[in-house]
Amino acid sequence: MRIDKFLWSIRFYKTRSIAAEEIKKNRVSMGTSAIKSSKEVKEGDIIKIRKNQIDYKIKVLQIPKSRIGAKLVPLHIQDVTDKEQYELLKLRKMTQDYYRNKGEGRPTKKDRRDMDDYVGNDIDADFTDWDDFFGETDDESEEEG
């Protein structure tokens, strides 16, 4: 079975064309060399896949006849990915501290409050003497007039 069809059939990619694109971008390899979409997959092969900024390694146990259900995937592949890769993924998900993308519109009320808390106010909220704030006193304003 072709590798692009195999990756699609074990539900690693949503469509076969996406699988072929990723292979073309050299994000899928067997051994140390990059491969083409037409590469045949055999039982016992170890496939390295770069997805979501981590490197997955899967071992082919069986070749499925067609696309299989999610519950049947463990019968056809074995995940041999390093545990450090999963820890990296977990760490990246935890460090995503901002949930809105740039350009998605105005900040929400919660965003504004968070920004205000972060920046902080140097002026007390009870401060009402604006003349003192701007450096003017009553004596100076009388002299000018």
Side-chain angles (χ1 to χ4, degrees), residues 17-32:
S17 60
I18 293 172
E21 244 178 66
E22 295 296 304
I23 293 168
K24 193 180 246 186
K25 292 178 183 176
N26 293 330
R27 294 185 182 149
V28 179
S29 62
M30 287 177 115
T32 58

Side-chain angles (χ1 to χ4, degrees), residues 12 26-29 47-58 79-86 88-89 92:
F12 214 88
N26 293 330
R27 294 185 182 149
V28 179
S29 62
I47 303 169
K48 296 177 187 172
I49 304 162
R50 179 95 172 142
K51 185 178 177 184
N52 296 333
Q53 298 180 344
I54 68 167
D55 296 321
Y56 293 96
K57 285 184 187 177
I58 57 171
D79 188 11
V80 290
T81 306
D82 297 332
K83 291 181 181 175
E84 294 89 30
Q85 295 293 324
Y86 287 116
L88 279 173
L89 182 64
R92 283 193 185 106

